[in-house]
């Protein structure tokens, strides 16, 4: 998996639970032995097994369900100041949360434009009715949908929209993960503008 | 194309045109601004309508302008706003049918980031088909990625500096460096096994460098390194401690016989000429040796031991080079080996 994802996971664990917890997880998962004290580098590529080892070590060390950790990771990606550029990039998707949901179809293409090696899962959005969406994550690592739930929850907050999200589980035959989204989005109806002029902090 | 437009031309309202091209500019044939898209209107200010083009814009290409039609002959228009901050545009002008003047469409080009910041533009100020948003996205993605790359470069730089600081190997010869020698000597001095120290200096090395060049000099150093390595046991330390200075530490050696053996080995091997590009590099090795303290004798510092070996080395040089002088326990100097015949 790409270093940007691994490094995000590392920052999330270290920022949210403390450096010493991260040090334990890094040792338990083999990261510190394989990669040294700095851990992951954002612009390198790592074996998926190593990412999985970190996740499992974190689940054991922090005594938290895997789904909760992944969802918190998603929230962290949007709400932590350190990752402000990522939030800005995601908000290029649209001027309202609903616009953003529509733009998720393009997320894979957009991320490829920015970092060609960053192999994000294929996302597709279906609109079932007004304010009713379903998001399908295809060919992603197990649990990617939970990261998306965290991202969507934090972004809805950022946009000032109300969103109820439900992860429908992973289809064992297709490995698809489906998230059902119910949105109340005043900005979408008000046509609020996304101010492009704000420079990345 | 031309024929088509003349015969089947269509009408378009200014509002519809503005949706397609929010930065269009309509000039009459005299060059007066008659209308514009919403975004350009915002940039020019409301007073621009009815003014001549040259009152609002500074035309850079084409320079001179007699009539508005002149604009349509330029391949690319370049102009800047007269008002601060002098936002730059590129554009294209086409003639309108009849006497309706000229239609210009403007774009920010590479200045899009500055323009967006200076004028507080948002996505709705751009046509839905305009790639400006994608361009801004890319610019932002690029700077985010560059930030990460720069951070990584800084980390690697720090790691490299640290690695160099901690390095124990001489990059050219693969021998130990001065730090390696000092560490090894400190450890031998604190032990009880005893050891011998040989200080070696290359003679005529400067002449090789000066006459045959630095590549020849480097070649000589690597050859000497091979000679030294081949003349000691695997566990002994050979270090390059200066430009043409070497130190050999023989662990566990307490008397002169093994030192003499090593010295003869080196001098013997040095009789084989070192060739570089068919040229003989004439060098010789002068050596001074001393036995370090073991638990039976008084303690002595690394510096004092080196100073003793230096005295012996100096004696070797003075006696005609290519030889090994030994410092006896009583402090007297004794020549142990000499190259026969001297080079």
């Amino acid at each position: 998996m790409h270093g940007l994802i691994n490094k995000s996971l590392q920052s999330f664990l270290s920022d949210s639970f403390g450096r010493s917890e991260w040090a334990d997880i890094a040792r338990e998962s083999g990261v510190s032995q394989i990669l040294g004290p700095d851990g992951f580098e954002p612009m390198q590529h790592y074996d998926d097994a190593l990412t999985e080892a970190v996740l499992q070590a974190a689940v054991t060390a922090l005594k938290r369900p895997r789904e909760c950790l992944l969802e918190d990771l998603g929230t962290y990606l949007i709400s932590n100041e350190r990752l402000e550029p990522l939030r800005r990039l995601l908000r290029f998707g649209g001027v309202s949360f609903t616009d953003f949901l529509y733009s998720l179809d393009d997320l894979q293409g957009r991320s490829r434009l920015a970092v060609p090696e960053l192999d994000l899962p294929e996302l597709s959005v279906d609109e079932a009715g007004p304010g009713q969406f379903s998001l399908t994550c295809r060919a992603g690592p197990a649990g990617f949908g939970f990261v998306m739930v965290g991202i969507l929850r934090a972004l809805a907050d950022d946009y000032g929209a109300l969103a109820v999200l439900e992860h429908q589980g992973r289809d064992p035959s297709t490995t698809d993960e489906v998230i059902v989204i119910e949105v109340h989005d005043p900005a979408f109806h008000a046509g609020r503008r996304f101010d492009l002029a704000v420079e990345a902090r | 194309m031309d024929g088509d437009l003349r015969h089947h031309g269509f009408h378009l309202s200014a509002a519809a045109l503005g949706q397609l091209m929010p930065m269009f500019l309509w000039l009459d044939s005299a060059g007066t601004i008659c209308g514009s898209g919403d975004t350009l209107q915002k940039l020019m200010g409301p007073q621009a309508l009815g003014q001549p083009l040259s009152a609002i814009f500074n035309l850079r290409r084409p320079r001179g302008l007699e009539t508005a039609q002149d604009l349509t002959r330029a391949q690319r228009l370049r102009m800047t706003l007269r008002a601060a901050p002098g936002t730059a545009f590129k554009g294209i002008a086409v003639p309108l049918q009849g006497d309706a003047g000229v239609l210009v469409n403007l774009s920010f080009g590479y200045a899009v980031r500055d323009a967006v910041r200076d004028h507080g533009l948002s996505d709705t100020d751009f046509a839905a088909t305009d790639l400006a948003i994608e361009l801004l996205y890319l610019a932002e993605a690029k700077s985010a990625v560059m930030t990460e790359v720069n951070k990584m470069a800084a980390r690697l730089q720090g790691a490299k500096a640290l690695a160099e600081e901690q390095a124990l190997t001489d990059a050219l010869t693969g021998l130990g460096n001065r730090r390696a020698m000092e560490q090894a000597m400190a450890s031998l001095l604190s032990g009880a096994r005893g050891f011998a120290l040989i200080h070696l200096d290359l003679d005529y090395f400067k002449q090789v460098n000066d006459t045959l060049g630095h590549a020849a000099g480097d070649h000589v150093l690597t050859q000497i390194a091979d000679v030294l390595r081949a003349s000691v046991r695997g566990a002994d330390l050979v270090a390059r401690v200066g430009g043409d200075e070497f130190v050999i530490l023989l662990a566990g050696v307490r008397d002169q016989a093994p030192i003499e053996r090593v010295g003869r080995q080196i001098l013997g091997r040095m009789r084989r000429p070192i060739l570089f590009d068919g040229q003989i590099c004439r060098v010789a090795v002068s050596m001074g040796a001393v036995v370090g303290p073991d638990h039976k004798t008084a303690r002595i510092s690394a510096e004092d031991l080196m100073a003793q070996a230096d005295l012996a080395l100096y004696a070797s040089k003075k006696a005609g080079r290519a030889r090994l002088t030994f410092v006896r326990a009583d402090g007297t100097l004794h020549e142990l080996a000499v190259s026969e015949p001297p080079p």
Side-chain angles (χ1 to χ4, degrees):
Chain A
M1 211 162 308
H2 197 275
L4 278 172
I5 295 174
N6 286 301
K7 179 76 181 181
S8 305
L9 180 59
Q10 173 179 339
S11 306
F12 160 65
L13 292 171
S14 157
D15 286 355
S16 311
F17 304 100
R19 284 172 157 276
S20 70
E21 282 286 6
W22 163 250
D24 290 346
I25 294 167
R27 200 176 43 251
E28 241 357 87
S29 59
V31 165
S32 42
Q33 294 90 322
I34 298 169
L35 305 177
D38 287 340
F40 293 105
E41 286 292 349
M43 288 300 143
Q44 302 281 313
H45 213 276
Y46 299 96
D47 196 328
D48 286 356
L50 193 56
T51 315
E52 185 54 39
V54 170
L55 264 179
Q56 277 176 13
V59 166
T60 311
L62 303 169
K63 300 184 185 65
R64 277 173 186 243
R66 181 190 174 95
E67 300 79 54
C68 292
L69 271 181
L70 289 173
E71 191 179 324
D72 288 348
L73 167 64
T75 309
Y76 169 86
L77 291 177
I78 301 305
S79 48
N80 193 282
E81 252 180 50
R82 202 126 63 100
L83 289 125
E84 168 71 11
L86 177 68
R87 189 191 71 90
R88 292 264 318 154
L89 287 177
L90 284 171
R91 285 207 54 164
F92 267 89
V95 293
S96 69
F97 184 63
T98 309
D99 285 331
F100 170 77
L101 286 179
Y102 290 134
S103 81
L104 282 176
D105 280 332
D106 299 329
L107 187 68
Q108 201 186 29
R110 286 206 290 148
S111 68
R112 253 185 217 150
L113 209 54
V115 184
E117 313 81 32
L118 181 70
D119 193 20
L120 285 188
E122 192 184 311
L123 302 176
S124 60
V125 180
D126 288 309
E127 193 172 9
Q132 303 283 332
F133 298 88
S134 75
L135 171 68
T136 308
C137 311
R138 192 152 294 143
F144 184 82
F146 290 101
V147 181
M148 281 310 297
V149 168
I151 289 179
L152 293 173
R153 195 158 277 157
L155 265 180
D157 197 41
D158 201 52
Y159 276 109
L162 195 69
V164 181
L165 299 143
E166 201 186 330
H167 193 290
Q168 303 283 295
R170 185 178 169 95
D171 184 322
S173 59
T174 60
T175 73
D176 284 0
E177 292 180 46
V178 177
I179 302 160
V180 171
I181 308 159
E182 200 179 311
V183 187
H184 174 65
D185 188 359
F188 178 61
H189 304 292
R192 201 173 75 175
R193 309 185 328 167
F194 173 42
D195 188 3
L196 296 169
V198 178
E199 293 275 306
R201 261 176 275 158
Chain B
M1 267 290 274
D2 256 13
D4 282 349
L5 280 175
R6 261 201 304 278
H7 298 299
H8 311 290
F10 50 83
H11 292 282
L12 200 62
S13 73
L17 186 61
Q19 274 190 285
L20 292 175
M21 302 191 292
M23 299 230 297
F24 85 83
L25 191 64
W26 172 30
L27 304 173
D28 67 14
S29 36
T32 308
I33 297 173
C34 300
S36 74
D38 285 346
T39 304
L40 195 60
Q41 177 86 53
K42 191 163 146 183
L43 301 178
M44 295 189 304
Q47 81 293 347
L49 273 181
Q51 300 253 16
L53 178 71
S54 57
I56 306 296
F57 290 97
N58 193 0
L59 205 57
R60 298 190 176 273
R61 195 183 309 159
R63 282 279 179 188
L65 192 61
E66 300 282 316
T67 69
Q69 292 294 329
D70 291 348
L71 290 175
T72 65
R73 280 184 279 278
Q75 284 256 324
R76 274 275 158 81
L77 304 180
R78 293 212 173 265
M79 50 176 91
T80 53
L81 272 182
R82 285 200 181 278
T87 301
F89 301 92
K90 60 179 191 171
I92 185 153
V94 293
L96 291 170
Q97 290 179 36
D99 209 13
V102 167
L103 182 67
V104 182
N105 192 22
L106 295 178
S107 148
F108 293 117
Y110 289 107
V112 61
R113 265 197 119 174
D114 300 331
V116 159
R117 188 190 57 227
D118 294 342
H119 301 285
L121 300 181
S122 84
D123 62 329
T124 50
D125 291 315
F126 293 93
T129 49
D130 194 328
L131 290 175
I133 304 294
E134 282 82 352
L135 195 70
L136 292 171
Y137 167 81
L138 259 189
E140 197 148 327
K142 187 210 75 177
S143 57
V145 169
M146 283 304 286
T147 307
E148 286 304 332
V149 171
N150 289 340
K151 275 193 222 156
M152 182 166 160
R155 270 199 301 278
L156 289 180
Q157 189 60 44
K160 179 169 170 267
L162 188 68
E164 275 169 2
E165 202 182 297
Q166 294 171 344
L168 296 173
T169 307
D170 173 53
L172 175 66
T173 59
L175 298 175
N177 59 14
R178 179 172 279 278
R179 188 178 304 105
M181 186 274 287
E182 284 166 356
Q183 282 184 13
M185 182 118 87
S187 124
L188 287 168
L189 278 171
S190 64
R193 287 179 60 212
F195 68 99
L197 181 159
I198 309 176
H199 191 188
L200 306 91
D201 192 83
L202 268 189
D203 301 312
Y204 316 116
F205 180 67
K206 191 179 179 311
Q207 285 90 316
V208 170
N209 255 339
D210 290 349
T211 56
L212 300 176
H214 286 285
D218 286 354
H219 177 68
V220 166
L221 290 171
T222 56
Q223 293 292 304
I224 299 289
D226 288 345
V227 164
L228 301 186
R229 256 193 296 258
S231 306
V232 299
R233 301 163 301 178
D236 296 325
L237 179 88
V238 184
R240 181 176 169 221
V241 297
D244 54 359
E245 253 183 276
F246 301 84
V247 165
I248 296 176
L249 295 175
L250 305 166
V253 170
R254 294 177 185 183
D255 51 1
Q256 68 177 53
I259 300 174
E260 184 178 332
R261 242 187 341 263
V262 169
R264 287 192 190 286
Q265 288 263 0
I266 293 171
L267 292 170
R269 288 195 165 89
M270 284 301 294
R271 280 221 286 277
R272 195 173 306 139
I274 296 173
L275 292 173
F276 182 77
D277 269 355
Q279 302 256 40
I280 293 180
C281 307
R282 215 168 285 281
V283 289
V285 174
S286 294
M287 296 174 270
V290 65
V291 167
D294 57 31
H295 63 290
K296 282 175 284 188
T297 56
R299 300 198 70 83
I300 180 171
S301 73
E303 290 74 29
D304 290 346
L305 206 59
M306 276 298 282
Q308 286 189 21
D310 274 353
L311 276 180
L313 172 62
Y314 181 68
S316 287
K317 286 198 180 266
K318 211 175 161 196
R321 299 188 169 94
R323 65 197 68 217
L324 167 63
T325 308
F326 177 63
V327 186
R328 284 205 184 102
D330 62 4
T332 57
L333 299 175
H334 171 63
E335 190 171 291
L336 281 188
V338 60
S339 184
E340 292 293 351

